[in-house]
Amino acid sequence: MKEKNIFIAECKFWEGKKAFKETIDQLLGYLSWRDTKTAIIIFNRNKDLSSVLSQIPTATQEYLNFKQQLEYKSETGYRFILHQNNDKNRELYLTVLVFEVPK
């Protein structure tokens, strides 16, 4: 049987930077060493999407496992490199996508 990576993602409503960092904690807690691709999908019900979008890079860069922000051609998406919780040399890709949803 061949080893395969599983794509793991979390979907959340935006509740601020603290909750976003807790989502990263939650997501990294699911990953094994083999898992290198992951995503957070954010749904925003706030009226100020620009404010939400401006907080995501900062919150991710403040995160202990942060290594690098990658170029990502999207007005409402970001791509980052983080390291695994138990191995600073094992990198993983985190894609964050934000969607505006009506109340």
Side-chain angles (χ1 to χ4, degrees):
M1 176 187 227
K2 293 183 180 182
E3 298 293 328
K4 299 211 183 239
N5 291 352
I6 298 172
F7 176 76
I8 298 174
E10 273 294 322
C11 297
K12 299 282 185 169
F13 284 95
W14 180 256
E15 295 180 0
K17 280 175 65 172
K18 182 178 183 281
F20 178 73
K21 289 178 184 180
E22 290 169 356
T23 300
I24 298 174
D25 283 339
Q26 182 181 9
L27 194 60
L28 293 182
Y30 297 148
L31 302 179
S32 72
W33 187 85
R34 292 191 180 281
D35 300 319
T36 58
K37 296 179 183 97
T38 188
I40 298 174
I41 300 168
I42 300 289
F43 300 108
N44 178 49
R45 286 190 172 163
N46 300 330
K47 293 184 178 183
D48 191 356
L49 183 61
S50 294
S51 175
V52 172
L53 292 170
S54 71
Q55 293 178 65
I56 290 171
T58 305
T60 309
Q61 290 167 11
E62 292 170 355
Y63 197 79
L64 184 63
N65 297 44
F66 174 80
K67 291 186 100 173
Q68 180 182 357
Q69 182 170 346
L70 301 173
E71 183 178 340
Y72 192 71
K73 296 181 180 186
S74 170
E75 288 185 305
T76 59
Y78 300 91
R79 194 121 196 250
F80 304 97
I81 297 176
L82 305 178
H83 67 76
Q84 292 279 0
N85 280 337
N86 298 320
D87 188 342
K88 291 185 178 185
N89 294 312
R90 183 64 170 177
E91 295 181 340
L92 61 97
Y93 293 91
L94 169 65
T95 301
V96 180
L97 301 173
V98 183
F99 298 93
E100 186 75 16
V101 293
K103 284 189 174 186

